[in-house]
Amino acid sequence: DSAVSEKLGIYRNLRAGPHASMVTGPQIDMRMFPAHWVHGFAVEDGGRRSLQIFDAAGVAVHKVHLRDESDTDAFARLIAELRRPETPLALLPAAPTEAAMADPDRADALRHEWDGMTDTHQFIKITRKLKMNRLGAYRVAGEPYAVPLAPTVVTEVLEQASARDIPVMVFVGNQGCIQIHGGPVRNIRAMGPWINVLDPGFDLHLRQDHVAEVWLVTKP
């Protein structure tokens, strides 16, 4: 409802795991969390074919749309291998979105740990140790660690990156999947409340009016 990332390419370099998996190809760069890949459908509609994955509540996690040059025989073999008998679909209530978890009394400890980071991926471990989450930590860290910006700055960043030919990384995720675009963004178009990147091989659709908070974050 708020953001869609569409990448054109081939899934390469799959590394699968029980808790997290990843694909790290030159076009498709994804992180996947199998616990949320609960319902899968093969959809054929007017000659269009797709694989569509949903979580336990029926919320879309990931979709794969075949192109004219795609291997339709492989699609058919996959359906034959994974097909299940038709049964009533049991959906669970959607889990509420996690609220910001912040502890202002631990702000100094947070900044100390922040200064000691040697890899950006250490941040999640730091917040867990301090009983916070990402958004809560941003709210208590203060400048120069985290600076709140106007939500409309997302559009400005995309427009400036396009105008100045600056490559960027765009992460779009849900509970079950994070898809990453790395490279330039060039054709930026506003359509109603949506801000769009319409480039060969990459489309981004973002409801600007759904953006609640934007943070400028600096890490070692």
Side-chain angles (χ1 to χ4, degrees), residues 27 36 40 43 56 59 92 100 112 129 131 149 169 192 201 203 213:
Q27 299 137 340
H36 297 283
V43 180
V59 177
L92 301 178
H112 175 75
K129 182 170 74 172
K131 302 296 192 292
L149 303 176
M169 295 187 76
D203 285 359
E213 296 184 31

Side-chain angles (χ1 to χ4, degrees), residues 147-161 195 206 208 211 213-216:
V147 181
L149 303 176
T152 53
V153 79
V154 175
T155 299
E156 185 177 349
V157 165
L158 292 171
E159 291 173 343
Q160 287 290 326
I195 186 71
L206 175 67
Q208 178 65 76
V211 178
E213 296 184 31
V214 174
W215 292 85
L216 171 62

Side-chain angles (χ1 to χ4, degrees), residues 4-90:
V4 179
S5 169
E6 301 175 357
K7 292 286 290 184
L8 177 62
I10 298 173
Y11 294 76
R12 300 191 187 277
N13 304 323
L14 171 65
R15 283 182 279 174
H19 305 295
S21 302
M22 64 175 62
V23 174
T24 54
Q27 299 137 340
I28 307 295
D29 189 357
M30 285 175 45
R31 309 295 178 266
M32 297 154 285
F33 308 99
H36 297 283
W37 292 49
V38 179
H39 303 291
F41 296 90
V43 180
E44 300 192 52
D45 179 17
R48 294 176 296 179
R49 300 176 175 92
S50 63
L51 300 171
Q52 305 195 17
I53 311 298
F54 300 83
D55 69 9
V59 177
V61 170
H62 186 54
K63 298 181 181 181
V64 183
H65 297 271
L66 275 67
R67 310 282 290 189
D68 291 340
E69 63 272 22
S70 296
D71 188 340
T72 55
D73 289 339
F75 179 77
R77 290 194 301 270
L78 189 65
I79 294 173
E81 179 181 345
L82 298 179
R83 182 187 294 273
R84 290 187 174 184
E86 290 190 19
T87 57
L89 190 62

Side-chain angles (χ1 to χ4, degrees), residues 23 31 57 65 75 103 110 120 140 145 182 210:
V23 174
R31 309 295 178 266
H65 297 271
F75 179 77
D103 186 347
L110 171 64
T120 186
V140 302
Y145 304 92
H210 286 189

